[in-house]
């Protein structure tokens, strides 16, 4: 199925952070708890943030990290990210994370917020290879993403492909419609996927979000 995930996020950049401020106390508390964990995790570290988007997590990382390199394919997203007050040196890079020549094992922490659900299932090894190439021998990988939406929430699938990738409709505030690739996972799905390549240090699976800390 054809999808337009990248252009959707380019068009949505200015309104994207609405997702962090929905009036659902439990949802917001889950994010607030993860912010606390990430601040601690990033403390004193050299961080590579992949698909940094509008810089919501970049700002959190910068509060305690030694240095952050943050890449996104969307110039519109990076424009929003650069408006954030930052607590440490941050290098913003516009481009495809898979095409850039990253130094070997140079980063203490790889951070990936809300991207894994957009990674095609048939290309997981490509992403995992990137993690393994970039992270130091004793470094960590951190990810957060959405759990499956509740029944009747209006976010049901509009189809799947031969690889099992899920597709759904998304609308901008102006009504423009896009089809995006968006996969969801059970806790057991995630444990099975990540344990093939990494040691799982911590898995948190709540109502709205999951997060994980991995090591090589």
């Amino acid at each position: 199925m054809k999808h337009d995930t990248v252009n959707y996020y380019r068009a949505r950049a200015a309104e994207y952070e609405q997702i962090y401020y929905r009036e659902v106390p439990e949802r917001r508390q889950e994010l607030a708890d993860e912010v606390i964990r990430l601040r601690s995790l990033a403390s004193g570290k050299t961080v590579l943030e992949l698909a940094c988007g509008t810089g919501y997590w970049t700002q959190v990382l910068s509060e305690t990290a030694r240095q952050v390199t943050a890449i996104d394919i969307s110039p519109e997203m990076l424009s929003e990210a650069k408006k954030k007050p930052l607590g440490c040196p941050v290098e913003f890079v516009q481009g495809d994370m898979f095409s850039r020549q990253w130094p070997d094992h140079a980063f203490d922490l790889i951070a990936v917020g809300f991207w894994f659900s957009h990674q095609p299932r048939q290309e997981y090894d490509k992403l995992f290879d990137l993690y393994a190439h970039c992270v130091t021998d004793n470094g960590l990988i951190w990810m957060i993403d959405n759990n499956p939406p509740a029944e009747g929430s209006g976010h049901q699938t509009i189809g799947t492909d031969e690889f099992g990738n899920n597709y759904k409709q998304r609308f901008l505030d102006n009504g423009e419609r896009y089809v995006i690739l968006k996969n969801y996972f059970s806790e057991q799905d995630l444990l099975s996927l990540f344990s093939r390549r990494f040691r799982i240090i911590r898995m948190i699976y709540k109502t709205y979000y999951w997060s994980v800390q991995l090591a090589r």
Side-chain angles (χ1 to χ4, degrees):
M1 183 179 293
K2 185 177 179 181
H3 67 97
D4 206 9
T5 305
V6 171
N7 284 332
Y8 166 70
Y9 281 107
R10 292 187 67 176
R12 193 186 174 195
E15 61 196 62
Y16 174 75
E17 289 203 9
Q18 294 170 4
I19 68 164
Y20 295 113
Y21 302 105
R22 292 170 178 158
E23 292 304 320
V24 181
E26 185 181 1
R27 180 189 289 271
R28 293 180 70 161
Q29 188 60 54
E30 286 185 26
L31 289 172
D33 291 343
E34 196 61 38
V35 164
I36 293 169
R37 286 189 287 267
L38 186 58
R39 283 195 192 113
S40 176
L41 193 63
S43 181
K45 291 183 170 65
T46 299
V47 182
L48 173 61
E49 185 185 10
L50 303 173
C52 71
T54 57
Y56 180 90
W57 298 106
T58 317
Q59 183 177 4
V60 174
L61 290 161
S62 78
E63 293 172 6
T64 57
R66 182 160 61 89
Q67 192 272 335
V68 178
T69 300
I71 186 169
D72 201 278
I73 202 167
S74 164
E76 292 84 357
M77 284 284 189
L78 286 175
S79 178
E80 295 298 317
K82 290 174 183 177
K83 298 174 184 177
K84 297 283 194 299
L86 300 168
C88 78
V90 176
E91 178 188 6
F92 287 106
V93 179
Q94 194 269 313
D96 181 345
M97 62 177 138
F98 296 110
S99 298
R100 189 168 177 85
Q101 297 298 308
W102 300 107
D104 293 351
H105 310 308
F107 299 95
D108 304 313
L109 177 65
I110 311 296
V112 189
F114 296 103
W115 170 257
F116 190 69
S117 56
H118 299 306
Q119 179 75 10
R121 290 178 179 271
Q122 67 274 21
E123 296 181 7
Y124 286 158
D125 281 336
K126 183 179 179 182
L127 182 63
F128 295 162
D129 287 347
L130 179 60
Y131 292 171
H133 171 79
C134 291
V135 74
T136 61
D137 289 342
N138 298 315
L140 293 173
I141 299 132
W142 169 87
M143 287 185 280
I144 187 172
D145 220 309
N146 299 95
N147 283 340
E151 292 269 341
S153 64
H155 294 284
Q156 282 71 37
T157 181
I158 61 169
T160 57
D161 63 19
E162 67 271 28
F163 301 104
N165 292 302
N166 179 64
Y167 297 86
K168 62 192 300 183
Q169 291 185 105
R170 286 277 181 84
F171 295 89
L172 300 181
D173 287 350
N174 65 8
E176 287 183 23
R177 173 187 177 274
Y178 290 81
V179 173
I180 69 165
L181 187 158
K182 182 74 173 179
N183 291 318
Y184 298 102
F185 309 89
S186 70
E187 185 174 9
Q188 189 54 52
D189 289 338
L190 295 169
L191 292 170
S192 177
L193 274 171
F194 298 142
S195 63
R196 291 190 296 110
R197 293 287 301 270
F198 303 101
R199 288 188 295 115
I200 298 172
I201 307 300
R202 184 177 200 175
M203 168 74 74
I204 295 171
Y205 197 94
K206 295 287 192 175
T207 302
Y208 294 98
Y209 305 105
W210 60 264
S211 68
V212 69
Q213 295 172 26
L214 307 173
R216 291 175 61 202

